[in-house]
């Protein structure tokens, strides 16, 4: 049978006739992206990361050990997306807990940072300063976050858990298409820093291409130090000195205390209830949890399940809810340790109902018609990665980790192999300015020392009657929270199976720009016409989301790694 026929047949067999799903790439095997088993289910964005998780479990490790091992491996396997020079968020649940716990190991602004650091003397933004090189780098939290998570809940010895990552960094692997594309895209920035150049470009100074081998020997050595000394090995001592002096020598604002004073924060997850399902997601400094729940609340009383997932009425209501969420994001969201974020109001059912009433049945609201929440009292002033894991003991781990843009700031700190993030761009460089993802920044998200930049990352756990049902998350900037909200609706409201819930066609609205963005032109012409008639400005542009989903169906566990990406699902 020709490849095309196999492909067409699997598409016919597995997709629901009325749902447009994004097909697998030719030659891709669906088994790589979806598996069913009984012991554990794992979905990550890298085959080595999924294999490491399975290996650690087979060695007697628990789900936490597997998640930590996988995080370190994915840092090596996807250096364009995440790594020791970055940060993230993680939710974990095991039976007996009242609700999931969550860890915030987001990067933070250095002590010398200030709200005008990206502006010239006239108050204009200096192009690229928050994106490329040393000024873009926030103080990383990944190592501290994983260490703390493992210290509290891990079982195997810490150094054992780092083994697979050390091996992969030392012995290398072949550059895969997505990595080759990322290196090419960031080649000119990587070429500016000697260690970035040494690792990601070849001897002639050209980008490594698909099939070349990538070795990260310095990173292997850095991982060995962390394996031996724990988080102190990274935040204090010789390695911390190297990281700091590398940033300072390239003009950055770091000081010694930045690394030594970094602290992981445990936060109460944002909670919402959608038709009896308990939704737990990340609190500020991520905007993800607040807005995933806000979007679900706004459509909860509509009969979306009856209309169908890709019916114009459903798309209009969900997209209009996204539009409202992003208007609120720009006005109110920031690091809640520094600014007052009206979390309870924004995630309340009443607020959602008020805003839902303002959405006309057949007409898209224009940007200026959508007003953010008015606080009543005066208040004081395609690169990330995600994995989801679940086991048959009722434990779930979901974590989204990032260095922000492809290869972060582009700067590999000399002698460490660590790619430093450009998370500072997630701050508002000034009020009204947009970041890499076009998100509008407000005063709540201006730079302050030790403040953490606003994120959209939304690792999410769904519990039903106290038992885990779903673990979900994705990379892709502002699209993260809308892709997560849609995946939740696909399962909880539209009753899709796991595969369809992940592969169904997705869309996104972020208030500004005032556009309804579909990820591909697979949307039926009639749907496009109906939405356009309602006044939506429908544009076609990839969204970049790569949902990693795990689900429990009682005795059986399912894992789906988004077929749009190169990840791998394993369940056994
Ligand atoms: O925290 C955030 O929302 C962004 N720094 C995430 C960046 C991202 O997802 C890039 N992905 N493709």
């Amino acid at each position: 049978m020709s490849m095309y026929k196999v492909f067409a047949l699997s598409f016919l067999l597995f997709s629901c006739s009325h749902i447009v799903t994004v097909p697998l790439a030719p030659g891709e095997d669906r088994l790589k992206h979806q598996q069913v088993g009984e012991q554990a289910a794992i979905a990550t964005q890298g085959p080595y990361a999924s294999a490491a998780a399975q290996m650690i479990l087979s060695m007697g490790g628990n789900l936490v050990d597997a998640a930590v091992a996988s995080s370190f491996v994915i840092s090596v396997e996807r250096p364009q997306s995440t790594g020791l020079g970055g940060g993230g968020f993680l939710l974990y649940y095991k039976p007996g807990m009242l609700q999931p716990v969550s860890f915030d190991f987001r990067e933070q602004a250095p002590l010398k940072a200030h709200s005008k650091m990206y502006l010239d003397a006239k108050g204009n933004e200096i192009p690229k300063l928050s994106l490329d090189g040393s000024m873009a780098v926030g103080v990383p939290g990944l190592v501290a976050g994983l260490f703390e998570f493992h210290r509290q809940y891990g079982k195997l010895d810490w150094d054992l858990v780092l083994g697979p990552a050390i091996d992969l960094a030392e012995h290398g692997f072949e550059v895969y298409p997505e990595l080759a594309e990322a290196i090419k895209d960031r080649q000119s920035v990587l070429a500016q820093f000697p260690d970035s150049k040494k690792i990601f470009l070849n001897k002639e100074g050209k980008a490594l291409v698909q099939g070349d081998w990538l070795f990260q020997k310095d990173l292997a050595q850095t991982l060995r130090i962390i394996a031996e000394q724990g988080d102190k090995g990274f935040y204090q001592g010789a390695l911390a000195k190297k990281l700091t002096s590398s940033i300072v020598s390239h003009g950055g604002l770091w000081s010694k205390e930045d690394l030594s004073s970094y602290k992981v924060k445990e936060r109460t997850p944002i909670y919402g209830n959608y038709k009896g399902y308990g939704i737990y997601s990340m609190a500020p400094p991520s905007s993800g949890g607040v807005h995933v729940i806000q979007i679900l609340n706004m459509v909860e009383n509509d009969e979306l399940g009856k209309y169908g997932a890709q019916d114009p009425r459903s798309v209009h209501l969900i997209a209009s809810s996204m539009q409202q969420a992003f208007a609120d994001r720009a006005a109110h969201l920031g690091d809640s340790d520094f600014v007052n974020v009206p979390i309870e109001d924004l995630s309340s059912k009443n607020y959602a109902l008020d805003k839902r009433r303002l959405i006309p049945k057949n007409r898209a609201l224009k940007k200026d018609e959508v007003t953010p929440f008015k606080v009543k009292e005066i208040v004081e002033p395609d690169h990330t990665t995600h994995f989801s894991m679940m086991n048959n003991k009722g434990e779930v781990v979901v974590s989204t980790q990032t260095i922000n843009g492809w290869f972060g700031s582009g700067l590999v700190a000399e002698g460490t192999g660590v790619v430093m993030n450009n998370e500072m761009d997630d701050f508002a460089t000034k009020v009204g300015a947009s970041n890499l993802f076009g998100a509008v920044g407000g005063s709540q998200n201006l730079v302050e020392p030790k403040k953490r930049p606003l994120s959209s990352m939304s690792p999410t756990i769904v519990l039903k009657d106290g038992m885990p049902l779903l673990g979900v998350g994705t990379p892709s900037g502002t699209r993260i929270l809308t892709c997560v909200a849609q995946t939740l609706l696909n399962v909880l409201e539209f009753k899709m199976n796991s595969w369809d819930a992940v592969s169904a066609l997705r869309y996104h609205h972020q208030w500004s720009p005032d556009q309804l963005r579909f990820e591909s032109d697979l949307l039926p012409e009639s749907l496009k016409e109906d939405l356009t008639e309602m006044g939506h400005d429908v544009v076609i542009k990839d969204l970049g989301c790569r949902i990693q989903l795990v689900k429990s169906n009682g005795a059986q566990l399912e894992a789906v790694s988004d077929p749009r990406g190169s990840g791998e699902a394993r369940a056994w």
Side-chain angles (χ1 to χ4, degrees), residues 106 382-384 402 404 423 426 437 455-457 475-477 480:
R106 178 78 164 159
D382 294 332
H383 325 134
T384 299
T402 190
N404 198 30
E423 220 69 60
D426 273 348
F437 306 99
S455 172
S456 299
M457 296 194 281
S476 206
I480 291 174

Side-chain angles (χ1 to χ4, degrees), residues 413-462:
E414 276 90 3
T416 69
V418 177
V419 182
M420 305 306 287
N421 68 81
N422 60 354
E423 220 69 60
M424 294 295 284
D425 186 64
D426 273 348
F427 279 117
T429 49
K430 68 180 197 178
V431 173
S434 302
N435 71 0
L436 185 60
F437 306 99
V440 178
S443 58
Q444 300 276 82
N445 190 31
L446 287 170
V447 183
E448 289 182 59
K450 298 193 92 169
K451 191 176 178 185
R452 301 184 181 196
L454 183 60
S455 172
S456 299
M457 296 194 281
S458 320
T460 302
I461 290 175
V462 179

Side-chain angles (χ1 to χ4, degrees), residues 128-411:
K128 303 276 186 199
L129 198 61
S130 66
L131 281 171
D132 298 340
S134 58
M135 288 289 280
V137 187
V139 182
L142 189 96
V143 174
L146 296 178
F147 186 79
E148 184 55 23
F149 179 45
H150 182 267
R151 191 186 68 75
Q152 291 189 35
Y153 299 106
K155 181 176 157 204
L156 292 184
D157 286 344
W158 169 251
D159 57 345
L160 210 60
V161 170
L162 270 91
I166 297 172
D167 273 357
L168 189 65
E170 183 68 39
H171 300 296
F173 57 90
E174 271 186 46
V175 173
Y176 48 89
E178 244 180 80
L179 175 55
E181 192 193 334
I183 300 176
K184 196 167 158 220
D185 188 78
R186 295 288 278 163
Q187 181 173 357
S188 62
V189 181
L190 293 169
Q192 291 167 24
F193 303 102
D195 277 39
S196 315
K197 200 170 156 186
K198 181 176 91 184
I199 300 166
F200 299 109
L201 308 185
N202 64 19
K203 292 212 169 66
E204 287 79 49
K206 299 238 162 65
L208 294 185
V209 295
Q210 185 182 349
D212 284 347
W213 277 74
L214 175 65
F215 296 100
Q216 298 173 81
K217 303 262 180 198
D218 286 342
L219 183 59
Q221 183 52 22
T222 293
L223 287 163
R224 271 188 215 103
I225 295 171
I226 297 167
E228 280 160 23
Q229 301 174 16
D231 60 345
K232 287 198 180 68
F234 187 84
Y235 291 91
Q236 295 167 25
L239 199 50
K241 231 187 216 164
K242 273 191 193 171
L243 292 164
T244 308
S245 61
S246 190
I247 299 289
V248 172
S249 71
H250 291 289
L253 294 182
W254 281 29
S255 37
K256 186 167 108 223
E257 295 71 32
D258 279 313
L259 281 169
S260 62
S261 67
Y262 184 87
K263 293 264 177 307
V264 179
K265 298 189 181 178
E266 285 183 50
R267 302 197 183 265
T268 307
I270 304 288
Y271 168 75
N273 185 309
Y274 184 80
K275 300 188 174 177
Y277 295 96
I279 318 283
Y280 297 88
S281 192
M282 198 59 219
S286 181
S287 62
V290 170
H291 296 311
V292 165
I293 285 161
Q294 180 182 3
I295 292 165
L296 296 189
N297 280 343
M298 284 183 71
V299 299
E300 190 181 20
N301 297 322
D302 286 288
E303 298 189 303
L304 300 186
K306 267 198 197 156
Y307 301 158
Q310 289 165 6
D311 182 281
R313 290 167 292 184
S314 298
V315 177
H316 169 62
L317 286 173
I318 296 168
S320 301
S321 306
M322 293 172 178
Q323 182 187 37
Q324 178 63 50
F326 273 93
D328 286 324
R329 187 186 190 275
H332 296 296
L333 268 287
D335 183 346
S336 52
D337 290 345
F338 286 76
V339 293
N340 189 350
V341 181
I343 295 175
E344 279 181 23
D345 290 303
L346 292 177
S347 54
S348 78
K349 298 273 184 208
N350 282 344
Y351 178 60
L353 278 179
D354 285 351
K355 286 298 183 183
R356 168 65 190 85
R357 278 191 209 106
L358 300 178
I359 301 175
K361 197 170 161 202
N362 290 320
R363 183 177 73 81
L365 291 170
K366 293 288 157 221
K367 185 175 171 224
D368 293 343
E369 294 178 275
V370 181
T371 52
F373 174 72
K374 287 205 174 51
V375 183
K376 285 147 212 128
E377 311 126 44
I378 297 170
V379 289
E380 286 175 18
D382 294 332
H383 325 134
T384 299
T385 195
H386 177 90
F387 64 79
S388 302
M389 300 184 185
M390 191 180 261
N391 66 12
N392 64 348
K393 296 179 186 141
E395 287 176 274
V396 202
V397 186
V398 285
S399 182
T400 316
Q401 306 172 356
T402 190
I403 48 174
N404 198 30
W406 266 346
F407 290 103
S409 62
L411 191 162

